[in-house]
Amino acid sequence: MADLTRFGISIETKLLEAFDELVAAKGIANRSEAIRDLIRAALVETEWETSDVQTVGTVTLVYNHHTRDLSEKLDHLQHEHHSSIVSTIHVHLDPQNCLEVLVVRGKSGDIKRIADVLIGTKGVKHGKLTMTTTGQDLV
Ligand code: NI
């Protein structure tokens, strides 16, 4: 087990009550685990701010495949960036709409640029880059 340190935090009572309610509502084991999660999230976010750090993420895209040339355009873009796109899941949501989830890996700056191009492609209804981490430097 990792080396643990206990420390005290001064916090407004109302803020702590609100936090405890959030912890309970989210089904998180306890207050300590919730605080560890927040710290890890902040560290992952900081990792992404350094554009040359190797990291991983997912890009989610929703689009209508009947939109003229859109499927071809997205496919072309993904081939252009094949070294950064590790895997793709395609789900036919209904007769018109498609969901694609791309697992991306590389330098955070490159991944952000690729995600921006894909999400910004005309006809993409919704897109989101989820920034996560290789976990290597995270306890
Ligand atoms: Ni489809």
Side-chain angles (χ1 to χ4, degrees):
M1 191 167 169
D3 192 23
L4 290 180
T5 300
R6 288 180 184 277
F7 67 103
I9 302 174
S10 300
I11 185 171
E12 288 84 351
T13 306
K14 279 203 178 297
L15 188 59
L16 184 60
E17 283 170 5
F19 186 66
D20 283 342
E21 278 174 27
L22 185 76
V23 170
K26 290 200 167 201
I28 302 170
N30 54 54
R31 198 187 272 164
S32 292
E33 182 56 25
I35 290 171
R36 285 192 290 268
D37 285 349
L38 288 174
I39 293 171
R40 287 191 201 101
L43 291 170
V44 168
E45 207 169 293
T46 306
E47 185 177 284
W48 275 81
E49 283 166 10
T50 314
S51 63
D52 60 348
V53 166
Q54 283 288 328
T55 192
V56 292
T58 57
V59 180
T60 306
L61 303 169
V62 174
Y63 62 92
N64 183 328
H65 78 108
H66 287 138
T67 303
R68 201 178 130 80
D69 297 334
L70 183 55
S71 299
E72 290 76 10
K73 202 178 267 181
L74 291 173
D75 193 47
H76 175 73
L77 284 168
Q78 291 183 42
H79 277 275
E80 244 179 33
H81 300 287
H82 65 90
S83 58
S84 303
I85 299 170
V86 180
S87 183
T88 305
I89 300 166
H90 185 108
V91 180
H92 309 303
L93 291 173
D94 59 34
Q96 291 83 36
N97 294 295
C98 302
L99 165 73
E100 269 188 13
V101 181
L102 287 59
V103 178
V104 286
R105 179 174 212 159
K107 291 180 179 174
S108 55
D110 295 339
I111 292 179
K112 275 184 194 165
R113 272 189 294 279
I114 294 166
D116 282 346
V117 171
L118 288 164
I119 293 166
T121 301
K122 196 176 171 217
V124 172
K125 291 181 176 181
H126 181 252
K128 189 169 173 58
L129 168 63
T130 301
M131 300 168 175
T132 184
T133 174
T134 61
Q136 281 178 343
D137 301 320
L138 216 55
V139 179

